[in-house]
Amino acid sequence: MKNMRIISGDYKGRTIKAVPGMKTRPTSDKVKESLFNRIGPYFDGGAVLDLYAGTGNLGIEALSRGCDTCVFIDQSSQAVRVVKHNIKNLGIMKNTEVYRNDAKRALYIMGNRKRSFDLIFLDPPYAKEQLSNIVEIIEEQNLLTEEGQIVCEHHSETVLPEDIQSFRKSQAVTYGDTGITIYTY
């Protein structure tokens, strides 16, 4: 897997390292650019949660485009090492937290800490998608700000529900075999 680039913002053109092997499927530049044009494309501050961080690709792009902070979580120790390498390489460690943890457990921990986020990225391995359940936990733990967005990346054949508790699907689009569904209150 080759390195990826940051598309826009403060770190535009800088590269980030990929996780070796085939277990991590980073968001392609084309999908990432289109996604950020839908949700941003730039931000005036805000807190981000990159839950299935992998390389940190989405969270780093959000920071580059103006978000203030990002919490990166992945259960793979290899992915966590790559995220730490990428944020250190970009000099953005003070704006970030990186944890190795299971997604559900991490959400409960964030809830116990009374954390809330303006932007939550969910990009789980396609074979292990439990997005509806994860979105329910996000609401239960009150992790999304009132104006916040949950961005779910999934296989294009996966169709997520119109509503998940108080969240409503605001956008759904496919790019090849990648689907993006965005939820808001």
Side-chain angles (χ1 to χ4, degrees), residues 113-126:
R113 293 180 183 168
K114 304 285 185 243
R115 299 291 296 268
S116 64
F117 301 93
D118 302 288
L119 193 53
I120 298 176
F121 292 111
L122 305 178
D123 184 10
Y126 287 174

Side-chain angles (χ1 to χ4, degrees), residues 23-118:
K23 286 190 174 153
T24 302
R25 171 199 34 76
T27 303
S28 74
D29 285 352
K30 178 183 159 197
V31 171
K32 187 167 59 167
E33 183 149 26
S34 178
L35 166 63
F36 277 91
N37 285 337
R38 289 177 176 281
I39 64 171
Y42 297 97
F43 306 97
D44 186 17
V48 179
L49 174 61
D50 193 347
L51 189 57
Y52 299 87
T55 62
N57 189 11
L58 294 173
I60 290 170
E61 187 75 35
L63 289 169
S64 182
R65 292 170 181 252
C67 289
D68 294 320
T69 62
C70 185
V71 175
F72 297 93
I73 298 169
D74 202 292
Q75 68 179 13
S76 158
S77 56
Q78 192 176 32
V80 165
R81 277 194 303 276
V82 169
V83 170
K84 286 180 177 178
H85 168 86
N86 287 334
I87 62 176
K88 183 178 181 191
N89 194 38
L90 292 167
I92 55 175
M93 290 166 25
K94 70 182 185 317
N95 304 56
T96 61
E97 299 169 54
V98 184
Y99 300 106
R100 180 176 177 265
N101 212 330
D102 167 76
K104 289 180 184 175
R105 187 176 303 129
L107 292 175
Y108 287 112
I109 291 169
M110 292 292 130
N112 289 337
R113 293 180 183 168
K114 304 285 185 243
R115 299 291 296 268
S116 64
F117 301 93
D118 302 288

Side-chain angles (χ1 to χ4, degrees), residues 123 126 129 131 152-156 158 160 177-181:
D123 184 10
Y126 287 174
E129 281 179 20
L131 288 167
C152 304
E153 188 171 328
H154 49 83
H155 195 278
S156 59
T158 301
L160 294 174
D177 67 351
T178 301
I180 302 281
T181 303

